[in-house]
Amino acid sequence: MIETIVFDVGETITRDDRYWASWADWLNVPRHTLSALVGAVVAQGQDNAEALRLVRPEIDVIAEYQAREAAGRGEVLDETDLYPDVRPALSALRNQGVRVIIAGNQTPRAGELLRGLDLPADLIVTSGEWGVAKPQPEFFQRVMEVAHSEPSTTVYVGDHPANDVFPAKAAGLRTAHIRRGPWGHLWAQDADVVAVADWRIDSLTQLTAIVDA
């Protein structure tokens, strides 16, 4: 029985196109260049912020983020950033009596923007607001504190094996790996992901069948 489903944010709920395009514009490099560098560091198993350091080795990402915000060129999220299956899937899950939580590695500002979209979710929270980020075990401890369910009846859904699938499973949660975004596609057939993930999905709407099973 599934009582709670917790969703990652980037490339699970939202597309990262705008995010990386805005960074490319800010750093004055072609968007395709930064996109390709993101793909390169992803393939090497590095944090995607390393792509910014390849463009500007001396960059202080936090300071640069703050400079963007001060210049009025900071984070933006609206309906166009959501994958089209998000609202239908989340609404259907809540109609099935599932507690829906969105919790990912994002800034406090991203949390504000996501809550402003009035998504059909019981709780939206980010690592920046919690002060702890995936894949740290403490992040998933916080997840369980707000899940109001046992780990065995809680599913964490995400695209990134190292940040989502593996640490969530280690914390005792059930896991669903979504084939979406560069991480999801790159590791969709990875032997470890296949072995560890309880489910592998191509759309969030497939979760309704998992709840009914």
Side-chain angles (χ1 to χ4, degrees), residues 45-77:
Q46 300 180 51
D47 186 276
N48 52 23
E50 292 304 313
L52 302 177
R53 296 186 178 94
L54 289 173
V55 172
R56 188 181 294 176
E58 75 284 0
I59 193 171
D60 181 329
V61 177
I62 294 176
E64 208 68 29
Y65 174 89
Q66 294 170 341
R68 285 184 55 190
E69 290 287 340
R73 295 173 61 182
E75 286 188 86
V76 177
L77 276 174

Side-chain angles (χ1 to χ4, degrees), residues 4-195:
T4 302
I5 297 184
V6 187
F7 295 85
D8 172 44
V9 179
E11 293 302 341
T12 298
I13 296 292
T14 62
R15 300 164 52 123
D16 283 347
D17 307 50
R18 189 207 298 259
Y19 177 82
W20 290 111
S22 65
W23 267 112
D25 294 346
W26 178 257
L27 297 175
N28 196 29
V29 296
R31 292 180 176 184
H32 174 69
T33 297
L34 185 56
S35 178
L37 290 173
V38 171
V41 299
V42 166
Q44 294 172 8
Q46 300 180 51
D47 186 276
N48 52 23
E50 292 304 313
L52 302 177
R53 296 186 178 94
L54 289 173
V55 172
R56 188 181 294 176
E58 75 284 0
I59 193 171
D60 181 329
V61 177
I62 294 176
E64 208 68 29
Y65 174 89
Q66 294 170 341
R68 285 184 55 190
E69 290 287 340
R73 295 173 61 182
E75 286 188 86
V76 177
L77 276 174
D78 61 30
E79 196 71 22
T80 64
D81 296 297
L82 297 176
Y83 276 100
D85 59 357
V86 171
R87 287 190 184 278
L90 270 57
S91 294
L93 289 169
R94 293 186 82 188
N95 288 337
Q96 289 176 293
V98 174
R99 179 170 170 80
V100 172
I101 297 173
I102 298 172
N105 280 357
Q106 303 288 329
T107 65
R109 175 60 176 158
E112 295 174 3
L113 293 168
L114 285 167
R115 288 188 287 271
L117 295 178
D118 194 27
L119 291 166
D122 296 284
L123 176 69
I124 298 174
V125 67
T126 68
S127 60
E129 294 166 325
W130 273 348
V132 62
K134 299 180 293 183
Q136 292 175 277
E138 292 80 7
F139 178 92
F140 293 96
Q141 291 173 10
R142 295 298 301 271
V143 165
M144 291 314 307
E145 288 172 7
V146 299
H148 299 171
S149 57
E150 294 299 315
S152 61
T153 63
T154 305
V155 179
Y156 194 86
V157 184
D159 61 300
H160 198 303
N163 281 351
D164 302 326
V165 177
F166 300 151
K169 192 72 170 182
L173 285 73
R174 305 182 79 180
T175 60
H177 180 253
I178 186 164
R179 185 176 180 174
R180 176 173 285 177
W183 300 269
H185 284 284
L186 182 62
W187 283 301
Q189 302 301 325
D190 179 81
D192 290 335
V193 173
V194 173

